[in-house]
Amino acid sequence: MNSEKLSPIGRSLLDRRGFLGQSGMSMGAIALSQLIARDNLLASESVGPIRPSINEQKPYAPRPPHFETPAKQVLVIYCPGAVSHVDTFDYKPDLYKMDGRKPPGLPAVTFEGPTGNIAKPFWDFKPRGESGKMVSDLLPNLAEMVDDFCFMHSLTTQTSAHPQGENFMNTGFTMEGFPSFGAWVTYALGCETEELPAFVAINDPRGLARSGKNNFGSGFLPAAFQGTDFTAAHPPANLVRPGDYSGSADRDSVSLLQRFNAGHMQRYPGDADLAARIASYELAGRMQSSVPDVMDIAGEPAHVHDAYGTGTGTELKRAYANNCILARRLLEKGVRVVQLFNGSDPSGGNGITNWDSHSDILKTHAMQAEIMDQPTAALIADLKQRGMLDHTVVVWCTEFGRMPFLQANGTGRDHNPGAFTCFLAGAGVKKGFSYGESDEFGFKATVNETSVYDFNATLLHLMGLDHERLTYYHNGIERRLTNVHGHVIQDVLS
């Protein structure tokens, strides 16, 4: 054997001591792997992505989850602007003790400038329900339902800016261009109905939130999985057939278009954008008959309108109440994901169009609560009495919290990314339960700190989806909603 042609590693193996040393380490590694396997500490053999099998011509067809769970649908109630947790659901007695003072350790400057003193809650807290959960008088109707809710009090986020905060909560990234939670769910599961979109976003009566359609966009997922946005006052456009165009002529046109589209798809297979466009047009054709039915909110019984409050309060409250009825009707028809917005941002918000109360929080938070509280509570109660919470997850969320101290103006609370509260209800979720804690002032999460990644991982789990394996290959990376982070919060699961 010519040793000059051997690599340095190969030459070392001809050395008896090197050979025995290499062999000994190899045998040790084999033995170690056997011991680890015996204790079930090895990684799963099937850790790769689970890609849904999608018929490009029928992208909304129902698909099985990764594992069976009770939840089949999800309702996300999103409140842009940052609801103050210390004035709603996170009771902190020490705020009363320290009211008007500034204890050491609190920052001198936060997002919008110099800080003021600690301020007690602007609304009184009382024990509610059989669980005795402390909730403020700001939301009396939701307070009556605490025994159905699972509160998460130790949420944290990566940003204190609204656009990035909305993006992070709804897409898992602070940057734009990533798929929304609803897009991921419909990409994985499709939809049970063929007559309506799989994912509907119901915007606030005042308009879009700060991040706009990115909150319900498809990002780099196929375009078919973006949310379709409309409201009770503004149904999807261009669905009404012109009066001088007969039904038979309409059907003949659709039939001819279907033949053309089928031929085009055969010539250009695998074109996801084309397939999404064709599927969108076909769905629009079916929606010509299904949408007028689902939009018939006026046909609801009087007691339903009374419960939701469509005839009382401000015009905005009545419009939002109609949106809440629309959300229930969409879920009844089998829509997989409904995202309902309470708050918009056409001109900066500042507590007038959303929950961003940098000044006069007593007035501005009360304005938003008057719009949101009764209709939202009625929606959840309606789902419950119809048995729909057995298969629907309800998510109430906001992008971050608000500070326990006032801003320098003495009337508003600044953004707080260090602690905030959201709640869940319905299928697969514990009832009358609180998870995690913030500190004595509600300033920082201290017990069971929970990231937005954890939150979204838990929501996907409730829908029967493994957040680590629900991925989409994009630009050389297996992308997922939770990036490379997140753990399912097992303690909130029923």
Side-chain angles (χ1 to χ4, degrees):
M1 179 181 296
N2 188 352
S3 61
E4 293 182 359
K5 295 183 178 180
L6 292 175
S7 67
I9 294 176
R11 194 176 297 114
S12 70
L13 291 175
L14 294 179
D15 177 72
R16 184 175 63 179
R17 291 181 179 177
F19 173 76
L20 292 174
Q22 293 281 351
S23 300
M25 286 188 290
S26 298
M27 295 301 294
I30 293 172
L32 178 62
S33 67
Q34 293 296 317
L35 291 171
I36 293 175
R38 183 192 67 187
D39 294 334
N40 294 318
L41 296 176
L42 281 178
S44 170
E45 294 181 1
S46 56
V47 294
I50 300 178
R51 302 195 190 283
S53 178
I54 298 174
N55 181 344
E56 292 181 345
Q57 298 184 43
K58 293 184 178 181
Y60 312 114
R63 293 178 282 277
H66 299 168
F67 47 86
E68 289 299 325
T69 58
K72 308 302 177 189
Q73 296 170 281
V74 58
L75 166 65
V76 179
I77 303 165
Y78 187 71
C79 297
V83 179
S84 174
H85 57 300
V86 295
D87 291 296
T88 52
F89 300 119
D90 198 3
Y91 176 58
K92 297 298 175 186
D94 281 10
L95 293 180
Y96 293 91
K97 300 175 185 177
M98 298 297 296
D99 183 47
R101 300 158 61 187
K102 193 166 187 176
L106 296 184
V109 177
T110 52
F111 183 77
E112 283 220 343
T115 61
N117 295 328
I118 289 284
K120 66 182 181 181
F122 284 85
W123 293 267
D124 290 335
F125 277 73
K126 297 174 184 175
R128 317 283 180 159
E130 294 183 6
S131 63
K133 177 69 177 178
M134 297 292 285
V135 178
S136 86
D137 290 337
L138 178 63
L139 303 172
N141 293 282
L142 285 171
E144 293 179 3
M145 303 189 66
V146 294
D147 291 336
D148 291 306
F149 297 161
C150 176
F151 292 94
M152 301 179 74
H153 288 303
S154 53
L155 281 159
T156 64
T157 186
Q158 293 183 348
T159 178
S160 56
H162 293 293
Q164 292 85 348
E166 289 181 13
N167 286 340
F168 193 36
M169 179 59 75
N170 290 304
T171 75
F173 292 82
T174 57
M175 301 169 289
E176 295 190 355
F178 289 85
S180 61
F181 167 77
W184 279 111
V185 171
T186 51
Y187 161 70
L189 300 177
C191 190
E192 296 295 335
T193 179
E194 295 183 349
E195 308 303 317
L196 291 164
F199 175 20
V200 173
I202 306 175
N203 288 312
D204 185 89
R206 293 162 284 192
L208 292 166
R210 180 77 66 93
S211 288
K213 295 193 175 186
N214 198 62
N215 286 318
F216 47 87
S218 58
F220 46 73
L221 291 179
F225 303 114
Q226 64 187 310
T228 300
D229 60 319
F230 56 91
T231 70
H234 300 285
N238 305 318
L239 291 180
V240 179
R241 187 175 65 246
D244 58 351
Y245 194 56
S246 70
S248 60
D250 191 15
R251 288 189 293 272
D252 289 343
S253 297
V254 170
S255 178
L256 179 62
L257 282 172
Q258 286 177 334
R259 292 202 299 272
F260 285 153
N261 287 336
H264 201 66
M265 282 295 296
Q266 288 179 348
R267 290 195 298 275
Y268 300 99
D271 188 335
D273 288 340
L274 174 62
R277 191 176 301 117
I278 292 173
S280 178
Y281 285 138
E282 291 178 343
L283 174 60
R286 295 190 294 272
M287 287 169 63
Q288 286 183 316
S289 58
S290 63
V291 164
D293 177 49
V294 80
M295 297 291 293
D296 184 22
I297 295 170
E300 290 279 339
H303 73 271
V304 170
H305 284 279
D306 290 342
Y308 282 79
T310 62
T312 60
T314 63
E315 181 180 350
L316 285 171
K317 186 247 186 156
R318 296 195 296 269
Y320 175 72
N322 281 322
N323 282 350
C324 288
I325 296 177
L326 174 61
R328 190 216 77 215
R329 292 173 68 89
L330 289 166
L331 290 166
E332 279 184 309
K333 295 293 185 180
V335 173
R336 180 76 70 184
V337 181
V338 175
Q339 188 171 17
L340 175 66
F341 289 85
N342 172 244
S344 69
D345 203 356
S347 59
N350 203 24
I352 303 301
T353 60
N354 60 31
W355 292 85
D356 193 20
S357 296
H358 286 286
S359 61
D360 203 356
I361 189 172
L362 186 62
K363 176 182 176 181
T364 54
H365 254 44
M367 288 170 54
Q368 306 310 323
E370 190 269 342
I371 298 167
M372 189 273 291
D373 180 45
Q374 181 187 355
T376 302
L379 170 57
I380 299 172
D382 204 0
L383 294 176
K384 180 181 178 180
Q385 67 93 15
R386 293 170 189 264
M388 294 174 66
L389 287 186
D390 295 340
H391 57 80
T392 304
V393 178
V394 177
V395 184
W396 183 96
C397 55
T398 190
E399 61 262 36
F400 37 73
R402 307 205 78 85
M403 291 297 182
F405 42 82
L406 297 178
Q407 295 180 218
N409 60 28
T411 64
R413 297 189 192 270
D414 207 348
H415 304 168
N416 184 2
F420 65 106
T421 295
C422 298
F423 70 76
L424 311 176
V429 176
K430 285 182 178 177
K431 298 179 179 180
F433 183 74
S434 293
Y435 177 82
E437 296 178 19
S438 59
D439 62 23
E440 68 273 27
F441 301 124
F443 179 47
K444 294 287 186 181
T446 54
V447 178
N448 294 325
E449 181 176 334
T450 303
S451 69
V452 170
Y453 298 120
D454 300 329
F455 187 69
N456 282 329
T458 304
L459 298 186
L460 289 179
H461 181 89
L462 287 166
M463 295 300 294
L465 300 171
D466 184 337
H467 76 103
E468 293 183 331
R469 303 183 67 189
L470 176 61
T471 69
Y472 189 87
Y473 190 74
H474 176 69
N475 281 351
I477 301 175
E478 289 288 351
R479 289 292 191 185
R480 65 188 220 212
L481 175 64
T482 54
N483 199 355
V484 295
H485 311 284
H487 299 87
V488 175
I489 308 301
Q490 299 288 339
D491 287 350
V492 305
L493 307 180
S494 61

